[in-house]
Amino acid sequence: MDTVGWWSLVRFVHVAGAALWVGGQLALSLVILPLARHLLAPEAKESFTAAAGRRFGMLTGALFLPAQLATGWALAWHRGVTWASLAEPGYGRTLAAKLALFVLVMLAAAGHGIAHAKGRAELARILAVASLVGSLGVVLLATALPST
């Protein structure tokens, strides 16, 4: 595979991972969990939603996060991004904002899992919404970055 093809593959893995993460959040929030609330008995609903959340969290930790970190680092390296360039107007500041928001999203997602495990349903819901909205913001910022 030539260099251009390699970097296209790296970019594809990065974008596909982001699409799966955000799409998974949307599918859980807008389709799966509302159906579970309406169609399942209360004890089955709790078991199902907890299992779905754990599975999504495990996939995030095992696949999504490592792929995003590795491909994101590789793409930044390929573009010549340095710590200093993150303060420069345009690409640097947009990437810095995307990275900062990504960190906040991951913290909100982790906090959601912890709050849910401790039975703090309202806090878990707030953190889930924050994670979803923040994820959409990360995607929005990513669209402002040139692909080369």
Side-chain angles (χ1 to χ4, degrees):
M1 182 179 298
D2 67 350
T3 304
V4 173
W6 169 252
W7 288 109
S8 293
L9 177 62
V10 171
R11 188 176 308 109
F12 172 80
V13 170
H14 193 74
V15 171
L20 287 170
W21 164 254
V22 176
Q25 288 182 64
L26 288 169
L28 281 170
S29 300
L30 301 175
V31 178
I32 297 166
L33 298 180
L35 282 174
R37 280 189 209 101
H38 292 310
L39 298 176
L40 300 176
E43 56 278 351
K45 175 194 72 95
E46 288 299 319
S47 175
F48 175 80
T49 57
R54 273 193 305 278
R55 166 107 16 127
F56 192 70
M58 286 187 333
L59 288 172
T60 296
L63 297 174
F64 164 72
L65 194 55
Q68 291 310 103
L69 293 174
T71 57
W73 175 85
L75 290 167
W77 173 83
H78 179 66
R79 182 157 170 83
V81 173
T82 64
W83 287 110
S85 70
L86 293 175
E88 294 172 4
Y91 188 93
R93 286 188 191 157
T94 302
L95 180 59
K98 178 188 169 207
L99 293 171
L101 188 54
F102 179 77
V103 168
L104 293 174
V105 164
M106 290 295 108
L107 290 172
H112 163 75
I114 293 167
H116 189 272
K118 292 187 176 201
R120 301 194 55 199
E122 187 61 30
L123 178 58
R125 184 172 300 228
I126 290 167
L127 290 170
V129 170
S131 178
L132 177 57
V133 171
S135 293
L136 293 171
V138 170
V139 171
L140 178 66
L141 288 167
T143 63
L145 294 171
S147 62
T148 58

